[in-house]
Amino acid sequence: MTGHPAPSASAATGRRRRFLALMRKEIYQIIRDPSSILIAFVLPLVLLFIFGYGVSLDATRTRVGVVVEASTPLADDLAASFRASRYFEAVIGRDRRTFEEDLVLGKVRGILVIPSTFALDAATGGSPRIQVIVDGTDPNTANFVQNYARGVVSTWAAIRSAETALAPPRVIVEQRFWFNPELSSRYFLVPGSVAIVMTLVGTLLTSLVVAREWERGTMEAVMATPVGALELLAGKVIPYFLLGLVAMSLCVAVAVLLFGVPFRGSLLALYALSASFLVPALGQGLLISAATKNQFLASQLALLSAFLPAFLLSGFLFEIDSMPAPIRLITAIVPARYLIPSLESVFLAGDIWPMFLRSMAIMIAIGAVLLTLAARSTRKRIA
């Protein structure tokens, strides 16, 4: 009997030491590289501040022109309701032509015309109407103006009926908005921006750093060692996986503590979803770097194939059901599509595990395909 370890135990010890050495090398490289720190921590905070403070889909204080063609107590009362609305900044005029040029130039977003027959129609039991003229080149704002104007008129009519008791009782529709009663766009923009940040850290940063190693030739030096392809990929992926979770934790802390976004779910669900999303994000980054071996090409491909789809085709800003059928099919392979609704639910609604488990299974399946392709592309080739 000798004191030497068995060959299998020695090989396992060697693999473990190589793997730990690879991870230690990646961690040192992340710490020493200013661009990694910039993309992992500074860029996410900048994006979060932009989405938290700078981007809002809420239409408040929209400037409109209110035309009162004939001054009567009834028409003036309705015009006053428009001026008192928190959604409008109303400017009163007597002729719609006064505002037509402003509407074309975008100085006002709509013209609300109270016709000269308004009071007469109301007095004779007719159906008084108002005209809403909006700029159709901006459909979202046009819809906001139209719907808010309808709401102001309905509220005004209900109050006036109650005060005068001249009209029959109206059916009042009480609206309830679950999870986000104020309909604040910040509450879904900020959680969605966390997914954008994780896309940047997972795909863009990974593709850039690994492509840089190909350019400098250090990847060939690593491949000259006994390290295996799976050990190499795992040694690359795990440090950036942890970095992505740290960046996500920072963003969530800022979202809750600074922007006041409610967090009604559990940390377990948050980290399980985030970890599942990082699998395809990192796999895509590795695949891009292995295919291009060039930082410029890698950054362009990462932006085109990861950042833009996450931004435009994930439901973050645009409703997927409103997209054409071919585009909806493409969204099925965008991992952010499955993360963003789940993140919004974790923040605003709480844990909905059937939804989360389905999203996690799809994201992990996409990630498995991407990692398999990356492993095949990362072959040992020493020129």
Side-chain angles (χ1 to χ4, degrees):
M1 295 292 290
T2 66
H4 297 293
S8 59
S10 177
T13 303
R15 283 196 298 270
R16 185 169 61 250
R17 292 180 62 184
R18 286 197 302 270
F19 180 68
L20 292 176
L22 275 174
M23 287 190 57
R24 192 159 54 245
K25 167 188 165 298
E26 289 301 320
I27 292 172
Y28 286 154
Q29 185 166 334
I30 291 171
I31 295 173
R32 290 168 52 192
D33 186 2
S35 64
S36 299
I37 303 300
L38 181 72
I39 294 176
F41 297 109
V42 179
L43 191 57
L45 289 178
V46 171
L47 281 176
L48 212 59
F49 275 94
I50 289 175
F51 283 110
Y53 283 127
V55 178
S56 173
L57 300 181
D58 304 329
T60 56
R61 308 306 299 167
T62 302
R63 188 175 174 84
V64 296
V66 178
V67 177
V68 182
E69 292 185 341
S71 180
T72 63
L74 198 65
D76 291 342
D77 190 37
L78 178 57
S81 294
F82 281 115
R83 296 190 67 175
S85 170
R86 67 187 179 97
Y87 299 110
F88 293 128
E89 181 180 344
V91 181
I92 306 298
R94 296 298 181 193
D95 193 320
R96 73 181 65 187
R97 286 172 293 187
T98 308
F99 300 109
E100 286 179 353
E101 185 177 354
D102 289 343
L103 183 65
V104 174
L105 296 176
K107 294 181 179 178
V108 298
R109 294 301 185 180
I111 304 173
L112 314 176
V113 182
I114 304 175
S116 57
T117 58
F118 185 77
L120 179 62
D121 290 341
T124 56
S127 300
R129 297 175 181 270
I130 69 166
Q131 186 179 36
V132 180
I133 303 171
V134 293
D135 183 359
T137 60
D138 186 351
N140 286 334
T141 304
N143 282 329
F144 277 131
V145 171
Q146 180 180 343
N147 292 329
Y148 287 154
R150 185 180 292 121
V152 170
V153 172
S154 298
T155 304
W156 170 81
I159 294 173
R160 190 162 182 86
S161 297
E163 289 177 348
T164 59
L166 294 177
R170 295 174 181 267
V171 176
I172 300 175
V173 178
E174 294 186 356
Q175 296 180 333
R176 294 286 186 273
F177 299 99
W178 289 7
F179 313 128
N180 186 7
E182 297 178 356
L183 294 182
S184 173
S185 61
R186 175 182 292 179
Y187 285 1
F188 69 87
L189 283 177
V190 171
S193 65
V194 175
I196 304 299
V197 166
M198 293 176 67
T199 302
L200 284 175
V201 175
T203 303
L204 180 61
L205 181 59
T206 306
S207 64
L208 278 177
V209 172
V210 180
R212 185 185 307 157
E213 289 200 54
W214 284 107
E215 284 185 349
R216 293 175 177 174
T218 54
M219 187 64 82
E220 282 83 354
V222 173
M223 287 183 168
T225 66
V227 66
L230 291 179
E231 290 174 297
L232 178 63
L233 287 178
K236 293 285 180 190
V237 164
I238 292 176
Y240 291 100
F241 179 84
L242 298 175
L243 189 65
L245 290 182
V246 172
M248 181 276 297
S249 304
L250 177 65
C251 292
V252 171
V254 172
V256 174
L257 300 177
L258 184 61
F259 295 118
V261 180
F263 185 84
R264 301 188 175 107
S266 66
L267 290 176
L268 174 63
L270 174 67
Y271 281 94
L273 287 166
S274 302
S276 302
F277 176 74
L278 283 173
V279 176
L282 293 170
Q284 190 172 357
L286 284 177
L287 179 60
I288 290 172
S289 63
T292 61
K293 300 180 176 62
N294 179 285
Q295 288 189 74
F296 177 76
L297 283 177
S299 64
Q300 298 302 307
L301 276 178
L303 288 174
L304 285 174
S305 64
F307 178 73
L308 288 181
F311 201 80
L312 301 175
L313 302 179
S314 62
F316 176 47
L317 291 179
F318 306 108
E319 184 62 37
I320 292 176
D321 291 336
S322 302
M323 298 177 183
I327 302 298
R328 286 203 302 272
L329 287 176
I330 295 174
T331 65
I333 58 172
V334 177
R337 169 186 176 167
Y338 306 100
L339 176 66
I340 288 178
S342 300
L343 273 185
E344 290 171 350
S345 298
V346 169
F347 273 89
L348 301 179
D351 290 353
I352 307 175
W353 281 105
M355 172 189 180
F356 297 164
L357 292 175
R358 176 181 177 276
S359 299
M360 289 162 58
I362 295 174
M363 289 189 289
I364 291 173
I366 296 174
V369 173
L370 292 172
L371 285 173
T372 302
L373 293 175
R376 290 186 176 181
S377 299
T378 312
R379 294 189 299 268
K380 284 194 172 184
R381 290 187 305 177
I382 304 175

